[in-house]
Amino acid sequence: MTITELANDFTHLLKQNDHKGAAEKYNADNIVSYEAMEGPMAVCEGSDAVKQKSAWWTENHDVHSGSVEGPFVNGDQFALRFTMDVTPKSTGERVKMDEVGVYTVKDGKIVEERFYY
């Protein structure tokens, strides 16, 4: 599978709101995830830690709508643009989010993801 095929299928799964399926299919066991923030989830190492971060997000946010644009492929990486309309349960204040995820692929699996917002 080429990087473009992987990126297209990964993006298709996300657009179908199958984030768990996309992660299970394409995340490497040793994936590292970097968020553009400080705190305990700024860097998550390993697929279990990334799953826990995703579960935390789902439990702590009401997502009203969202979109995924891309993929934009370059070499062994691809980028996606995410827009979301969410309400963090901690504040109750509805916000619009705009972020870019950059994914690095090695041996047919995503080994790194970095988020910019």
Side-chain angles (χ1 to χ4, degrees), residues 11-27:
T11 304
H12 173 75
L13 291 169
L14 295 182
K15 287 181 178 182
Q16 300 301 311
N17 205 29
D18 188 6
H19 297 263
K20 183 178 178 183
E24 288 176 354
K25 187 171 183 179
Y26 291 112
N27 284 0

Side-chain angles (χ1 to χ4, degrees), residues 60-97:
N60 288 280
H61 296 83
D62 289 321
V63 179
H64 308 291
S65 65
S67 68
V68 181
E69 295 176 45
F72 308 98
V73 179
N74 184 352
D76 66 348
Q77 295 181 311
F78 67 95
L80 297 173
R81 179 181 181 211
F82 300 96
T83 56
M84 291 173 273
D85 180 9
V86 301
T87 301
K89 293 178 181 177
S90 62
T91 65
E93 294 181 28
R94 195 166 175 164
V95 296
K96 294 193 185 287
M97 299 179 66

